[in-house]
Amino acid sequence: MARTVSPENEAIRRQQIVSAAHSVFIKKDYSKVRIEDIAKQAKLSKGAVLYYFETKEDVFLALFEWLTQLVAQRFEAAVETSTDPLIQLDNVVDQAFDSVKLHRAFFRIYLDCLGQGSRKEEYARINRAFYQACHEHYRKIIENGQRKALFRDIDVTDASLVMRAIIEGLGVQWLFMGNDGDLKHYGKLAREAILRYHGLEPSELAFKSINEINSLAPLGAR
Amino acid sequence: MARTVSPENEAIRRQQIVSAAHSVFIKKDYSKVRIEDIAKQAKLSKGAVLYYFETKEDVFLALFEWLTQLVAQRFEAAVETSTDPLIQLDNVVDQAFDSVKLHRAFFRIYLDCLGQGSRKEEYARINRAFYQACHEHYRKIIENGQRKALFRDIDVTDASLVMRAIIEGLGVQWLFMGNDGDLKHYGKLAREAILRYHGLEPSELAFKSINEINSLAPLGAR
Amino acid sequence: MARTVSPENEAIRRQQIVSAAHSVFIKKDYSKVRIEDIAKQAKLSKGAVLYYFETKEDVFLALFEWLTQLVAQRFEAAVETSTDPLIQLDNVVDQAFDSVKLHRAFFRIYLDCLGQGSRKEEYARINRAFYQACHEHYRKIIENGQRKALFRDIDVTDASLVMRAIIEGLGVQWLFMGNDGDLKHYGKLAREAILRYHGLEPSELAFKSINEINSLAPLGAR
Amino acid sequence: MARTVSPENEAIRRQQIVSAAHSVFIKKDYSKVRIEDIAKQAKLSKGAVLYYFETKEDVFLALFEWLTQLVAQRFEAAVETSTDPLIQLDNVVDQAFDSVKLHRAFFRIYLDCLGQGSRKEEYARINRAFYQACHEHYRKIIENGQRKALFRDIDVTDASLVMRAIIEGLGVQWLFMGNDGDLKHYGKLAREAILRYHGLEPSELAFKSINEINSLAPLGAR
DNA sequence: CATGAATGAGCTTTCATTCAT
DNA sequence: CATGAATGAAAGCTCATTCAT
């Protein structure tokens, strides 16, 4: 019932505007997007946009926050789905490299906002929150893997940083050098790199069930 | 020298402007930097900047190209310094995480331009060239490591993508979440993650000479 | 009225701007007139002018069109006033040479726009439309004169071209070589030249009523 | 000897620049032509152009003067060629409507300068001088025609104004509404209109020698 | 609440003109 | 004399923001 366009709720209008900004921001970069573009996309007036957000920048901050929270939530869901760390990892990686369109769209906006964030504290704050959320979920996988003695016993915080680096770093490279067909390959690369980092030989794990895997000691323990 | 009012060479003036843009761009982001800021920094007139570059964007393209080539050259030098793949890697990672100021400065501009590049072909082209240059040098390390049977035998192109992802991914995270004191730790993390990806146990390698290392077979072969 | 701050109608604002441009354009030529001049004259802001017209040039195109249509309408009215071809002609010539201020103003802008029109299709298009409107009305006079056997029987299209040439050509010469007192003389010259072209001896016609004239056969028939 | 490019003579350089301006001005209008364009066309440096002419406007004044004098000289030559007023007229009209390219080029620049001249005294002065030169030559034809009792006896000054109006007015109309094939027709129209104005029936004169014509009394005398 | 006309600061870009060489 | 690098005033245009309705 709360999903109508009716203005009973400020949050709805704000989300309506943020979604519109999202659509527009995919095509043009920050400096080229006009409030009018967002208003038009949201089927609102310019005045309405500025009524719900103090400034244009506030719209983009809200967008950045919404988008990163969305992705973080997907990471959470990816982890919650299973108790098997290998499947959790697969899900997280899939989620990150999945859905070509969303991926490109996310990275475009993400990079733009990262650029902003490298200088403006508001953007940086949101991005830090995003990283923290990521690490919270990545950590669960790593701790789970270590608890089950599948992953080698290393510092979880460090491992999470490396995991995020591999996922994000390959994602950006795909954005610039890959094509739609490559996406799965980049995902596979990320998965393998993360597993190796944790002392597993990915080739041995392919298509194996958790039970079978459990009979394999991690590399570092062999 | 070469900074006189009458430069025999256009290249000198262009570099003068690019360097000035660099200084300014560290503090403000693209859309906030005015041509006049660059001109002032270069101790030139607004007109002079536009005399050597057609548009403001051309200045930034030149800056992005210069900066990425600079970093790529440093990678090249880092590789050329030694024939030992482990030392080459150390050098590349050090180079990437070294020199705090340059690092921050580079990443700020790099991220801004990545953001642009996610939509504008000119930026994307330069970034692709940068990635290619990186991979060219990273490859040498990997091939060298594989030739010396230190690194496990995996696809070099893939390994190079992963290596870049780890370095760039940790670099960006450091930019947002790290502080100057952390930088070395992030570098160590990158090094270890890369080595593990290639089948080496980093802890065993620390402070060991190449000769000693040579007696150790890579993990995958054990 | 209609000059209120809240015009229900866009057309009113546009006309307000065009009229302001008219006032300004009389004094300065195209390249010297700044948007701000027009805005000031219209008692609007620079932004408002650009709100109603995409570019400065669009303002001038609208001005040129408005001005030529105005003159063409006056020609139409001059023809509609009478059924006597001689009186119609008198009216058209009077109208063209009449009203000193308007005449100078019109010719100044007209010549500037003609100059633009000699290269830019948009101006040329408007001027062609103006010529066509002129010829439409001139034709009526000529056909009327021929029907009444006052004018010699010649090609109407050609005659209209000549008529326009005489009126415009003498107008321009007056602009450069005449003074306010001369204006009537230039008008008389135009009238006589046109009548002679149609085979009438103007001196015989002066101050004569249409009835008396009717008793005179055209020159060509004598 | 004085026609080399060598700079012994200031007048040569000035003419070189004026000719270059002519070439450039045909394509672009005043406000779009840059000094650099003229310099490039003249194969000189920007500095050289401003060395021989104080300002950019001075170049255009010189161009306008040169161009109008050139045309006036052609009118003079057209008159000098014959002692027969009908042939003189033919020559003048031919000259005016002749040579399609030159005609278009002339009218483009002429109209641009007329536009300037409607406000700036320097241009107006040159244009007045042009009209005076035209009338000087047109007068000779008219006086000649009247002396030979071919033309009706009317005020010569007035007749010259009308003659110029017909020629210029049809020229401008051709520029906007005619095509290359039409040019001769416009010329014929001009000739006939002028002759009729002087009391001659053009059709009777076609292809007739002066002797035959002499036996015909002017219309007004019949 | 919502609108969108109106504002005007601020930007890029152009280019005539200057002047050291 | 000649050059063309350098200047900087001037202009068009954009667009976030305001505010009367």
Side-chain angles (χ1 to χ4, degrees):
Chain A
M1 73 194 103
R3 215 152 290 186
T4 56
V5 193
S6 81
E8 299 129 33
N9 197 320
E10 186 177 312
I12 292 165
R13 273 277 192 266
R14 285 177 63 96
Q15 184 51 44
Q16 186 182 354
I17 292 164
V18 164
S19 296
H22 182 222
S23 303
V24 178
F25 205 14
I26 290 168
K27 293 166 225 150
K28 302 182 190 181
D29 59 300
Y30 179 85
S31 64
K32 288 284 163 57
V33 171
R34 288 166 307 156
I35 292 229
E36 208 163 351
D37 297 328
I38 297 169
K40 203 165 283 172
Q41 179 76 27
K43 300 195 174 176
L44 287 170
S45 72
K46 238 187 322 172
V49 174
L50 272 303
Y51 178 82
Y52 289 103
F53 291 91
E54 293 271 302
T55 76
K56 179 189 164 187
E57 185 139 32
D58 285 342
V59 178
F60 285 115
L61 283 166
L63 167 60
F64 189 36
E65 190 152 32
W66 172 71
L67 209 62
T68 52
Q69 283 176 357
L70 201 77
V71 172
Q73 277 161 26
R74 285 165 160 250
F75 282 141
E76 182 169 24
V79 173
E80 301 300 323
T81 302
S82 170
T83 56
D84 182 339
L86 296 173
I87 292 172
Q88 289 174 326
L89 177 62
D90 273 11
N91 287 341
V92 161
V93 171
D94 279 359
Q95 194 288 122
F97 284 86
D98 197 20
S99 155
V100 177
K101 258 189 197 157
L102 189 77
H103 194 69
R104 270 197 198 277
F106 171 71
F107 260 112
R108 281 188 172 164
I109 299 176
Y110 182 66
L111 283 179
D112 256 349
C113 291
L114 275 197
Q116 302 288 327
S118 72
R119 285 186 207 77
K120 287 179 206 160
E121 183 45 28
E122 295 101 318
Y123 285 93
R125 210 205 66 237
I126 293 169
N127 197 41
R128 275 199 303 274
F130 174 57
Y131 279 143
Q132 262 138 28
C134 288
H135 289 311
E136 202 182 304
H137 306 309
Y138 291 179
R139 242 186 172 100
K140 280 186 199 148
I141 301 174
I142 296 162
E143 283 164 353
N144 191 18
Q146 292 184 351
R147 206 178 315 112
K148 296 196 168 142
L150 265 175
F151 292 178
R152 121 177 30 220
D153 196 42
I154 48 177
D155 185 89
V156 178
T157 301
D158 286 352
S160 186
L161 284 168
V162 169
M163 187 165 155
R164 177 73 207 149
I166 290 168
I167 289 172
E168 186 167 315
L170 283 171
V172 174
Q173 285 183 85
W174 171 79
L175 183 67
F176 283 96
M177 311 183 63
N179 51 54
D180 291 1
D182 283 341
L183 198 69
K184 274 202 192 317
H185 182 64
Y186 277 80
K188 193 168 141 275
L189 266 183
R191 182 179 171 272
E192 289 177 1
I194 293 166
L195 287 176
R196 281 215 175 102
Y197 182 70
H198 288 284
L200 288 163
E201 177 52 37
S203 57
E204 300 173 16
L205 304 170
F207 306 110
K208 294 195 176 178
S209 79
I210 179 80
N211 295 330
E212 292 174 274
I213 292 162
N214 274 342
S215 62
L216 294 166
L219 271 175
R222 268 184 282 178
Chain B
M1 61 182 125
R3 209 153 297 183
T4 52
V5 189
S6 72
E8 313 100 48
N9 200 322
E10 185 178 314
I12 292 166
R13 271 279 190 271
R14 285 177 66 96
Q15 185 51 46
Q16 184 184 351
I17 292 163
V18 164
S19 297
H22 183 221
S23 304
V24 178
F25 205 14
I26 291 168
K27 292 166 226 152
K28 302 182 189 182
D29 62 301
Y30 180 86
S31 65
K32 287 285 161 55
V33 172
R34 287 166 306 148
I35 292 198
E36 208 161 354
D37 298 328
I38 298 169
K40 204 165 283 173
Q41 179 75 30
K43 301 201 170 171
L44 285 170
S45 72
K46 219 175 359 153
V49 174
L50 273 306
Y51 183 80
Y52 288 101
F53 292 90
E54 297 265 304
T55 73
K56 178 186 159 188
E57 185 139 32
D58 284 343
V59 178
F60 285 116
L61 284 167
L63 168 60
F64 188 37
E65 191 152 33
W66 172 71
L67 210 61
T68 51
Q69 284 176 356
L70 202 75
V71 171
Q73 276 161 28
R74 285 165 159 252
F75 282 142
E76 182 169 25
V79 173
E80 300 300 324
T81 301
S82 170
T83 56
D84 183 337
L86 296 173
I87 293 173
Q88 288 174 326
L89 178 63
D90 274 11
N91 288 340
V92 161
V93 172
D94 279 359
Q95 196 289 120
F97 284 86
D98 199 18
S99 155
V100 179
K101 259 190 195 156
L102 188 77
H103 194 68
R104 270 198 198 276
F106 171 72
F107 260 112
R108 280 185 174 168
I109 301 176
Y110 183 66
L111 283 178
D112 256 349
C113 291
L114 275 197
Q116 302 290 327
S118 72
R119 287 188 205 74
K120 289 180 205 160
E121 182 46 28
E122 295 103 318
Y123 285 93
R125 211 207 63 235
I126 293 170
N127 196 42
R128 276 199 301 273
F130 174 59
Y131 278 145
Q132 262 138 29
C134 288
H135 290 311
E136 202 182 304
H137 305 310
Y138 292 180
R139 243 188 172 101
K140 280 188 200 145
I141 301 174
I142 296 162
E143 283 165 354
N144 192 17
Q146 293 185 350
R147 207 178 314 113
K148 297 202 166 134
L150 267 173
F151 293 178
R152 106 173 51 213
D153 197 41
I154 48 176
D155 185 89
V156 179
T157 299
D158 286 351
S160 186
L161 284 168
V162 169
M163 185 166 157
R164 178 72 209 149
I166 291 168
I167 289 172
E168 188 167 315
L170 283 171
V172 174
Q173 285 183 87
W174 170 79
L175 183 67
F176 283 95
M177 310 182 65
N179 52 52
D180 291 1
D182 282 341
L183 198 69
K184 273 201 193 318
H185 182 63
Y186 277 81
K188 193 167 141 276
L189 267 183
R191 183 178 171 272
E192 288 177 2
I194 293 165
L195 286 176
R196 280 215 175 101
Y197 183 68
H198 287 284
L200 288 163
E201 176 52 39
S203 57
E204 301 172 16
L205 302 171
F207 308 112
K208 293 197 179 179
S209 79
I210 177 85
N211 294 331
E212 294 173 276
I213 294 161
N214 274 343
S215 63
L216 296 166
L219 273 176
R222 270 185 280 179
Chain C
M1 64 189 117
R3 208 154 299 183
T4 52
V5 190
S6 72
E8 311 101 50
N9 201 321
E10 185 179 313
I12 292 166
R13 271 280 189 269
R14 286 178 64 96
Q15 185 51 46
Q16 184 183 352
I17 291 164
V18 164
S19 297
H22 184 221
S23 305
V24 178
F25 205 14
I26 290 167
K27 294 165 225 152
K28 301 183 190 182
D29 61 300
Y30 178 87
S31 64
K32 288 286 160 56
V33 172
R34 287 167 307 145
I35 292 194
E36 209 162 351
D37 297 329
I38 298 169
K40 205 165 283 173
Q41 179 74 29
K43 301 199 172 173
L44 285 171
S45 72
K46 211 170 13 144
V49 174
L50 273 306
Y51 183 82
Y52 288 100
F53 292 90
E54 297 266 304
T55 72
K56 180 187 158 187
E57 184 138 33
D58 284 343
V59 178
F60 285 116
L61 283 167
L63 168 59
F64 188 36
E65 191 152 32
W66 171 70
L67 210 61
T68 52
Q69 284 176 356
L70 202 76
V71 172
Q73 276 161 26
R74 286 166 157 249
F75 282 141
E76 183 170 23
V79 173
E80 301 300 322
T81 302
S82 169
T83 56
D84 183 337
L86 295 173
I87 293 174
Q88 288 174 325
L89 178 63
D90 274 10
N91 287 342
V92 161
V93 172
D94 278 359
Q95 195 288 122
F97 284 86
D98 194 17
S99 155
V100 178
K101 259 191 196 155
L102 190 76
H103 194 69
R104 271 198 197 277
F106 171 72
F107 260 113
R108 282 188 171 166
I109 300 175
Y110 182 66
L111 283 180
D112 255 348
C113 292
L114 274 197
Q116 301 290 326
S118 72
R119 287 189 204 75
K120 288 180 204 159
E121 182 46 26
E122 294 103 321
Y123 285 93
R125 210 205 66 237
I126 292 169
N127 196 43
R128 276 198 302 273
F130 174 58
Y131 278 144
Q132 261 137 30
C134 288
H135 289 310
E136 201 182 305
H137 306 310
Y138 292 179
R139 243 186 170 101
K140 282 189 198 143
I141 302 175
I142 296 162
E143 284 164 353
N144 191 17
Q146 292 185 352
R147 207 179 315 113
K148 296 199 166 136
L150 264 173
F151 293 177
R152 126 184 20 228
D153 197 39
I154 49 177
D155 185 90
V156 179
T157 299
D158 286 350
S160 186
L161 285 168
V162 169
M163 185 166 161
R164 176 72 207 150
I166 290 168
I167 289 173
E168 186 167 314
L170 283 171
V172 173
Q173 285 182 88
W174 170 79
L175 183 67
F176 284 95
M177 310 183 63
N179 52 53
D180 291 1
D182 283 341
L183 199 68
K184 277 205 191 319
H185 181 64
Y186 278 81
K188 192 168 142 276
L189 265 184
R191 182 179 172 273
E192 289 178 1
I194 293 164
L195 287 175
R196 282 219 174 99
Y197 182 70
H198 288 282
L200 287 164
E201 177 51 38
S203 57
E204 301 173 14
L205 302 170
F207 308 110
K208 294 198 176 175
S209 79
I210 180 81
N211 295 331
E212 295 174 272
I213 292 161
N214 275 342
S215 64
L216 294 167
L219 272 176
R222 268 185 280 179
Chain D
M1 75 192 101
R3 212 152 292 186
T4 57
V5 194
S6 80
E8 297 130 32
N9 198 319
E10 186 177 315
I12 292 165
R13 274 277 194 269
R14 285 177 65 95
Q15 184 50 45
Q16 186 182 353
I17 292 164
V18 164
S19 296
H22 183 224
S23 305
V24 177
F25 206 14
I26 290 169
K27 293 165 224 151
K28 303 181 189 182
D29 61 298
Y30 179 85
S31 65
K32 287 285 161 58
V33 172
R34 288 167 307 156
I35 292 232
E36 208 163 351
D37 297 329
I38 298 169
K40 203 166 283 173
Q41 180 76 29
K43 301 199 173 172
L44 286 171
S45 72
K46 241 188 317 174
V49 174
L50 272 304
Y51 179 83
Y52 288 103
F53 292 90
E54 294 270 305
T55 76
K56 179 187 162 185
E57 186 139 32
D58 285 343
V59 177
F60 285 115
L61 284 166
L63 167 61
F64 189 36
E65 190 152 34
W66 171 71
L67 209 62
T68 51
Q69 283 176 356
L70 200 77
V71 172
Q73 276 161 27
R74 285 166 160 251
F75 282 143
E76 182 169 24
V79 173
E80 299 302 323
T81 302
S82 171
T83 57
D84 183 336
L86 295 173
I87 292 173
Q88 288 175 324
L89 177 62
D90 273 12
N91 287 342
V92 160
V93 171
D94 278 359
Q95 195 288 120
F97 284 85
D98 199 18
S99 156
V100 178
K101 259 189 195 159
L102 190 77
H103 194 69
R104 271 198 196 276
F106 171 73
F107 259 112
R108 281 187 172 167
I109 300 176
Y110 182 67
L111 283 178
D112 256 349
C113 291
L114 275 196
Q116 302 290 325
S118 72
R119 285 185 207 79
K120 287 180 205 159
E121 182 47 28
E122 295 102 318
Y123 285 92
R125 210 206 65 236
I126 292 169
N127 196 41
R128 275 199 302 273
F130 173 59
Y131 279 144
Q132 262 138 30
C134 288
H135 289 311
E136 199 181 306
H137 306 309
Y138 291 180
R139 244 188 171 101
K140 280 187 200 148
I141 301 174
I142 296 162
E143 283 165 352
N144 191 19
Q146 292 186 353
R147 205 178 314 113
K148 297 203 166 132
L150 265 173
F151 293 177
R152 105 170 54 212
D153 197 39
I154 49 179
D155 184 89
V156 179
T157 299
D158 287 351
S160 186
L161 284 168
V162 169
M163 185 166 158
R164 177 73 208 149
I166 291 168
I167 289 173
E168 187 167 313
L170 283 172
V172 173
Q173 284 182 90
W174 171 79
L175 182 67
F176 283 95
M177 309 181 66
N179 51 53
D180 292 0
D182 283 341
L183 198 70
K184 273 199 194 318
H185 181 65
Y186 278 81
K188 192 168 143 275
L189 267 182
R191 182 179 171 271
E192 289 178 2
I194 293 165
L195 286 176
R196 281 217 174 100
Y197 183 69
H198 288 283
L200 287 164
E201 176 53 39
S203 58
E204 301 173 15
L205 302 171
F207 308 108
K208 294 199 178 178
S209 79
I210 180 82
N211 294 331
E212 294 175 272
I213 293 162
N214 275 342
S215 64
L216 295 165
L219 272 175
R222 270 185 282 180

